Amino acid sequence: MNQRSRAEATAPAQQTTHDPSESQKERTEHAAHSQRAAHRSHSGQAKPPAKPAQAAAQPVQAAVTGRLPLVYVVRQLVVDHWLSKSDADRVLAIGDRERYGHPIAVLAEMNFRTPDAHRRLLDLETLTQWLAEKAGLPYQHIDPLRVDFTRVVDVMSSAYATGYSILPIAVTPAEVVVATCEPFLEEWVREIEQISKKTVKRVVANPVDIARYTTEFYKLAQQVKGASKTGAANPLSNFEQLVELGSKVEANDAHVIHIVDWILQYAFDQRASDIHMEPKRDQGVVRFRIDGVLHQVYQVPPGVMHAMTSRIKLLGRMDVVERRRPQDGRIKTRAGGAGGREVEIRLSTLPTAFGEKLVMRIFDPEVVVRSYAELGFSDGEAKIWSELIRRPSGIVLVTGPTGSGKTTTLYSTLKQLATDEVNVSTVEDPIEMVDGTLNQMQVQPGIELGFADGLRALMRQDPDVIMVGEVRDRETAEMAVQAALTGHLVFSTLHTNDAASSVARLVELGVPRYLVNATLIGVLAQRLVRTLCPSCKAEQSGPDETMWRDLVAPWRSPPPHTVYAPAGCLECRRTGYLGRTGLIELLVMSDAIRVLIGRGCELQELREQAAREGLRSLRVSGAEKVVLGVTTIDEVLRAAPPFAD
Ligand SMILES: [Zn+2]
């Protein structure tokens, strides 16, 4: 940097005395110069960030400038009663640790606790919050899902960001939000404001995240830009041609491969159950479903989204060129790279107005197969269910709307039954999770292999336990009944509101009442509710009598004195919820119930008889989980229907 511009940089006020036109010219020159400097700084010559201040000469209360020295941080923590004198002495005795990393990161690794009664752990986030307060700046945890990395990287070069330990995380028309872990290093602010012509808003974020995401964002942005360029280099006007060429060239582009891999790993890390890739008019949108709720993750240029979709279709062995018909596919991959657990991804595409939409459903075997407790069964229910599924023959139904966890329950159940002595066969549409211990058949309507046909073929294969994906029609229902009558245990699903309604549904499908009575042995109705994040859930006083009575009606139980409400922390992505569990309503057929069914009773009569015999409604199952502090009343009311309709 030459003398003139350095002088300008340190004495901006002088500019106001200049002739306006000249001043404008100078500013422009300066901005251009700074931009060059910003991009040149990786050579290490342009304006190195300040050296750490001399620790020994630093009085405790004095304001710091430049990079944070470890000694300053330690002493300030002692002043603020966050660190005991003896712990501080231990750190300082080890000597000058600056070269091993950011002081905050160094201290966080030592797992100190506050000397007061709270014994609060001084972890990375806690120390970062402290630092933010010290610097009088807002604290922010960087959520990579909320950073539009293709935009923020245009604010400054990667070398410039690294040089000052900063990372732009948001850009608006008027403002650039820049995360820093060196809040007393401020010399870059003016430079960036001049280059970007926006106000810089500084926030303090933890040094480990800043370093990690600086590398990731700049690399990913480069990949996206590289991929966009490849697409733009083919100036074909014929759209179809472009698509064909694009699908061949771009899908294997190294940039695209990297972006797709990164998105998949990211989805696994975030416990996403689905990834949606949606083409819009000007942008491709990537969204993750986490605990049942969609979160927008990224926007990428349409060409890049197209290449990503092609890449994924290629991995799923789908017809890459075919874009006008819906297709299905499947990918097996490993979470966390080679050596990680195997994850299955089911793909489906749909032609939409702006291109092909792709949805990936993630089936993580660790998530799919669960223990009964994790599925939401109480000990008593688990015992009844275990007994039911070990009967030699009969029909067991699992019921609930789409997304109520039926598949998880069925796979978890079948996995327990499939042993060396027991043949478990399935007819599914589609096969949601391929499992080595099961014999699974995929329904293929194209060649007239429906549920009923599949089931008929299966019966000749000498199975012990059969799972039929869904009973949708009379033919399938009749086949299931036949299988049960000939000594097989048959599992299937129905879409009904509660357990008792399943009986009515079978009758509607054309199964005579006496055959329902002869074959049906039990029905499990279920729903999923989000579970409260154990790290941040907040105690509250219990609900009022009336509200509670409505929830558990017609059962009676006193309302709990305390319940928990969602708060929000880093672990749960500030939603207050982490994971899901099931609400369970288990109907076991009895003689009394069979008499009622034979008579063609009203649904409510059936429900009440079942309740007398021990059935608890979905809402009661939920209320129990509220009492245990697992979920909230709102979640239960949202998911479960009232007992009487
Ligand atoms: Zn939380």
Side-chain angles (χ1 to χ4, degrees):
M1 193 173 278
N2 64 34
Q3 280 306 319
R4 195 178 58 87
S5 80
R6 189 189 300 278
E8 264 178 17
T10 51
Q14 287 176 1
Q15 282 184 4
T16 55
T17 62
H18 287 186
D19 171 75
S21 64
E22 197 193 339
S23 147
Q24 177 58 41
K25 181 169 153 271
E26 279 201 6
R27 260 202 296 275
T28 315
E29 258 179 34
H30 177 79
H33 191 92
S34 298
Q35 191 146 21
R36 282 196 299 278
H39 287 275
R40 208 179 57 206
S41 58
H42 64 271
S43 66
Q45 293 153 350
K47 215 174 181 187
K51 285 264 186 305
Q54 276 304 305
Q58 191 74 47
V60 171
Q61 284 87 0
V64 215
T65 52
R67 282 186 186 276
L68 275 175
L70 179 68
V71 177
Y72 169 81
V73 174
V74 169
R75 291 198 176 145
Q76 287 296 307
L77 282 167
V78 173
V79 170
D80 293 350
H81 305 290
W82 279 54
L83 194 66
S84 70
K85 189 77 180 60
S86 56
D87 283 343
D89 289 343
R90 270 173 56 207
V91 184
L92 297 179
I94 298 167
D96 176 21
R97 275 225 179 199
E98 270 102 348
R99 75 188 80 135
Y100 296 113
H102 191 280
I104 293 286
V106 170
L107 282 167
E109 273 179 19
M110 300 177 95
N111 290 320
F112 288 127
R113 285 180 184 275
T114 55
D116 60 7
H118 296 300
R119 307 288 298 154
R120 208 169 148 201
L121 180 67
L122 298 182
D123 58 14
L124 202 53
E125 290 306 327
T126 309
L127 285 167
T128 305
Q129 282 172 37
W130 170 84
L131 179 63
E133 213 168 285
K134 215 70 203 157
L137 291 174
Y139 152 84
Q140 187 160 346
H141 176 75
I142 302 174
D143 181 350
L145 297 189
R146 294 195 193 284
V147 177
D148 183 352
F149 62 81
T150 50
R151 282 197 74 194
V152 299
V153 298
D154 289 337
V155 174
M156 63 184 74
S157 72
S158 146
Y160 191 82
T162 312
Y164 286 107
S165 307
I166 54 180
L167 175 64
I169 54 172
V171 184
T172 67
E175 199 179 63
V176 186
V177 182
V178 181
T180 176
C181 55
E182 291 291 354
F184 302 110
L185 192 62
E186 294 169 280
E187 57 208 78
W188 53 270
V189 174
R190 233 170 54 88
E191 212 160 48
I192 294 301
E193 285 187 336
Q194 279 171 335
I195 296 166
S196 66
K197 311 231 171 2
K198 294 174 198 282
T199 316
V200 164
K201 182 189 170 197
R202 291 185 302 149
V203 296
V204 175
N206 88 56
V208 177
D209 279 356
I210 288 182
R212 173 187 162 191
Y213 293 131
T214 303
T215 313
E216 273 184 15
F217 290 168
Y218 279 94
K219 196 169 163 198
L220 277 168
Q222 207 184 5
Q223 312 275 18
V224 168
K225 279 172 188 158
S228 311
K229 222 173 273 166
T230 316
N234 302 314
L236 289 178
S237 53
N238 184 315
F239 189 58
E240 281 298 313
Q241 248 177 309
L242 179 67
V243 165
E244 273 189 45
L245 189 69
S247 57
K248 277 175 197 139
V249 179
E250 293 176 15
N252 287 317
D253 186 306
H255 303 306
V256 174
I257 293 173
H258 180 84
I259 300 166
V260 167
D261 288 351
W262 196 81
I263 291 223
L264 289 180
Q265 287 308 326
Y266 215 81
F268 302 150
D269 285 354
Q270 297 291 324
R271 302 174 299 105
S273 60
D274 305 78
I275 307 171
H276 291 238
M277 301 197 6
E278 302 164 347
K280 305 281 183 202
R281 189 184 295 277
D282 317 306
Q283 285 286 352
V285 175
V286 181
R287 299 199 286 175
F288 286 179
R289 189 180 293 283
I290 303 168
D291 293 337
V293 180
L294 274 175
H295 299 265
Q296 178 160 325
V297 181
Y298 291 123
Q299 293 193 352
V300 294
V304 175
M305 166 134 305
H306 172 72
M308 289 163 67
T309 306
S310 298
R311 165 81 188 152
I312 293 160
K313 284 169 73 181
L314 209 68
L315 293 174
R317 297 200 175 84
M318 295 156 83
D319 181 347
V320 178
V321 179
E322 175 61 79
R323 295 178 61 250
R324 286 160 301 186
R325 268 182 239 282
Q327 288 188 66
D328 292 328
R330 180 186 302 281
I331 300 176
K332 257 191 192 285
T333 182
R334 287 189 183 277
R341 64 186 190 278
E342 201 166 68
V343 174
E344 170 129 3
I345 304 168
R346 231 177 63 205
L347 314 173
S348 70
T349 64
L350 195 75
T352 68
F354 300 112
E356 200 171 27
K357 175 175 189 273
L358 176 76
V359 174
M360 295 181 259
R361 301 210 69 188
I362 300 172
F363 290 92
D364 186 338
E366 267 186 22
V367 179
V368 169
V369 176
R370 300 272 197 91
S371 70
Y372 288 136
E374 285 171 309
L375 289 170
F377 286 75
S378 67
D379 290 348
E381 286 157 344
K383 212 170 146 234
I384 298 170
W385 183 250
S386 298
E387 188 272 326
L388 208 58
I389 64 170
R390 285 184 170 78
R391 296 211 195 157
S393 66
I395 297 177
V396 178
L397 295 172
V398 179
T399 183
T402 308
S404 56
K406 299 190 294 283
T407 310
T408 306
T409 303
L410 278 174
Y411 277 126
S412 305
T413 301
L414 294 177
K415 284 281 279 182
Q416 294 203 12
L417 297 177
T419 59
D420 288 345
E421 296 80 37
V422 178
N423 175 301
V424 179
S425 298
T426 72
V427 195
E428 301 172 64
D429 182 26
I431 296 174
E432 298 204 344
M433 190 193 81
V434 178
D435 190 286
T437 57
L438 311 174
N439 306 286
Q440 295 169 286
M441 186 196 309
Q442 163 84 49
V443 162
Q444 291 179 45
I447 55 164
E448 305 211 326
L449 179 64
F451 278 122
D453 314 289
L455 196 47
R456 195 172 293 120
L458 244 186
M459 294 289 287
R460 296 192 285 267
Q461 292 272 314
D462 185 32
D464 301 294
V465 177
I466 299 169
M467 195 266 274
V468 192
E470 193 187 334
V471 179
R472 284 180 199 157
D473 50 39
R474 179 183 185 141
E475 213 188 345
T476 311
E478 280 172 355
M479 283 304 302
V481 167
Q482 277 306 313
L485 287 174
T486 50
H488 302 93
L489 185 64
V490 182
F491 288 91
S492 193
T493 69
L494 280 180
H495 284 256
T496 61
N497 252 343
D498 69 345
S501 313
S502 299
V503 173
R505 180 86 186 110
L506 285 178
V507 174
E508 261 171 43
L509 282 170
V511 181
R513 290 198 172 83
Y514 75 94
L515 284 180
V516 173
N517 275 342
T519 53
L520 190 63
I521 56 177
V523 185
L524 174 75
Q526 68 174 72
R527 291 294 189 282
L528 288 176
V529 288
R530 291 184 291 169
T531 47
L532 284 162
C533 169
S535 312
C536 66
K537 64 181 182 182
E539 203 174 301
Q540 274 189 345
S541 57
D544 69 79
E545 287 274 350
T546 330
M547 187 186 186
W548 187 256
R549 203 167 41 214
D550 287 352
L551 178 72
V552 300
W555 283 261
R556 263 177 237 164
S557 78
H561 293 299
T562 54
V563 292
Y564 289 85
C569 67
L570 293 181
E571 300 209 356
C572 56
R573 304 177 36 76
R574 308 215 175 279
T575 57
Y577 293 98
L578 194 68
R580 290 191 286 180
T581 191
L583 306 185
I584 299 293
E585 180 185 271
L586 189 49
L587 172 90
V588 182
M589 293 288 279
S590 68
D591 291 342
I593 289 174
R594 288 198 177 92
V595 169
L596 286 175
I597 292 173
R599 232 180 42 212
C601 70
E602 290 294 320
L603 199 51
Q604 195 57 24
E605 258 185 280
L606 194 62
R607 289 193 183 116
E608 278 161 18
Q609 178 58 32
R612 275 193 288 278
E613 293 177 16
L615 171 140
R616 297 173 326 140
S617 73
L618 288 163
R619 285 200 172 174
V620 170
S621 171
E624 200 168 72
K625 291 179 173 71
V626 171
V627 173
L628 292 171
V630 172
T631 190
T632 59
I633 294 177
D634 287 345
E635 275 295 296
V636 175
L637 289 174
R638 187 184 55 76
F643 184 63
D645 50 13

